[in-house]
Amino acid sequence: MALVHKLLNGIYILRKCPMPSAASCLFLGPHFADYCSSSLQKPVTAPGKVDYPQGKSKRDLQAHHQTEVALDITSEDKPEVSFDKAIRNEIKDHFLRLKDEFVNRWIGPEGRPLHEVLLEQAKVVWQFRGKEDLDKWIVTSDKTIGGRSEVFLKMGKNNQSALLYGNLSSEAPHDGESGHSGYCAMISRIPRGPFERKKSYDWSQFNTLYLRVRGDGRPWMVNIREDTDIIQKKNQMYSYFMFTRGGPYWQEVKIPFSKFFFSNQGRIRDAQFQLLLDKISSIGLTLADKVDGPFFLEIDFIGVFTDPAHKEEFAYENSPDLNPRLFK
Amino acid sequence: MNPIIFITILLTLILGTVITMISSNWLMAWMGLEINMFAIIPLIIKQHNPRSIEAATKYFLTQATASMILLLAALMNFMYSGQWTIMNFTNSMPPFLALMALTMKLGMAPFHFWVPEVTQGSHLTSAAILLTWQKLAPLSILYQIFPSINHNLLLYSGILSIILGGWGGLNQTQLRKILAYSSIAHMGWMAIIISYEPSLMLLNLIIYILMTLSSFMLLIGNSNTSTASLAIMSNKTPLTMIMLMGVLLSLGGLPPLSGFMPKWLIIQEMTKNNSIILPLIMAMLALLNLYFYMRLIYSSALTMFPSNNNMKMKWKYTNLSYSTLLPTMFTLSMLSLPLTPMMNLLL
């Protein structure tokens, strides 16, 4: 489990290495280039070959694969480490993404025709059907601040769901300054376009969040972050609670976007604002219920839809006593 | 907002622009621009939410940078020529800096990135002021200094604005962003023609302001901010829908409407100056703008889109907040094409 987690992180480090830390990339490159140039799924070509057989036809390659798969599997230990090739592939991939962006823009928003986008009433945004779907999420726990919670993410049975599991420990880290601890979270990565430009989701046609989960009775918090252009926006998020039942049946959680409340730097603010849906950048599920022990959450998919019966625009009011400035 | 404060802010806004327009001193012009910028920031934050504060921050950062660069241009001009009067520059560096500053202020490419974000983040009324009134002051400075600005740079900036204004508006469902991209494209047309015939730039500005204000007034009347909410407008107020359709077609430059007038005269002026390919490219790129207006009209006036109950509930409430100037603005922005032969007399 930890190995899978580490492998996933390894791929992340090479692919998402930003330009300014090119030096560290160069240092880390050779260690992780093997994950890039030979992916985890494909069998490798014949051992001892230095470069990919680019001149060869597909038939020859297949023949090679057929002969090689039967052989010793430990040939995977020595994949070719071609740093230049990895860089070139990365650049080519970025230019391909740029070209896709232009073509998709011509077709319509997100590559689909506009009338289709406007008429859409339900959309699955994240689903868990393979390892590449797990790559879109980051799992984190209070281990980063010195706590003892552990959290892992893996694919569930038959690759039909993802299982987020681990152990929550509310023992405070012994660093002399934190008094509380104990949280585990799964946060979606911000979608990136060409050259690692941050993109955002536009959910303005929808009004409810839909999650199909199977939990263990613990209360989770669903957090939505908006576009993080400006530095202050990194600390702002909109949250709501998701109470899971422990049963063997799948649970469908529908949270209207009007119910999300605003918090800044982890504190719920007196001044509440509506969640605006045209620039959502990431969603997260957090467990911080101060109960020590193991936990698990199985997630089938996360989507958004339009609930025609839901008429509320915003569930909270601002009070002139607490925030007179808002009413000037 | 408290009415007294609101009036004060509006008057300050007007003061800033008027100071820039009537001044012959570089420092006074800069001062007017700064007063203008400070006055509009509370208008952007009129509706308190994190998005509008983000919009105000982005607006402040870009406009303050542009003001600083303009002040640098004025100081360099003083260094080279020894006087503060707004005249044609003597050296080549100050006009380049001034052009950069003015393109940032106006939201022309390559400094156009703030326009859709700021327009989207602010309330409809503030967005209307942002896209119309805020263009007056920088354009008045540009009008005075255009002979010494590098003609090619202005042309490149203009054509890039037209391209990006058309391309950027293609997939928008938010109405304020659509009008922001239309503003970028129109600024491009104005920038290109200023070197040939500055009075045509003024004509384009006036017609653009009329059309944009009419469209904003119609949207404010129904509090529409996205294409989906336009869908229900045809059932509630069919007259508003027809008017919006007319104004959008006029913005796109379709012939019998007055939006065609500036485009026609600009193309005519450029061909008289032996520039054939550029107006051809400009006219073809204007089709991109027309395409997304037509798509908006299609989704609102010509078809009835499914919408959720939230929007349907708006049927119950009739809106009485249309501006009294709306019929006048609408008529001027749609039906003034026959006045074209008189334009030589007016300008």
Side-chain angles (χ1 to χ4, degrees), chain A residues 42 49 77 91 95 134 136 199 243 256 316-317 320:
Chain A
K42 292 195 300 233
K49 274 222 161 92
D77 285 346
I91 293 177
F95 275 110
L134 289 183
K136 296 184 192 157
K199 291 201 293 197
F243 296 97
Y316 312 104
E317 279 182 338

Side-chain angles (χ1 to χ4, degrees), chain A residues 153-209:
Chain A
L153 180 67
K154 70 167 187 185
M155 288 304 295
K157 275 197 190 144
N158 291 333
N159 278 358
Q160 290 300 310
S161 59
L163 185 62
L164 179 74
Y165 66 99
N167 202 352
L168 191 73
S169 157
S170 52
E171 187 186 330
H174 300 291
D175 56 1
E177 55 181 22
S178 355
H180 309 283
S181 181
Y183 69 88
C184 297
M186 177 170 125
I187 308 166
S188 74
R189 282 189 212 277
I190 302 174
R192 301 277 179 159
F195 304 107
E196 305 299 332
R197 200 166 66 111
K198 282 188 201 167
K199 291 201 293 197
S200 54
Y201 299 103
D202 178 10
W203 294 340
S204 41
Q205 322 291 334
F206 310 105
N207 67 358
T208 316
L209 184 68

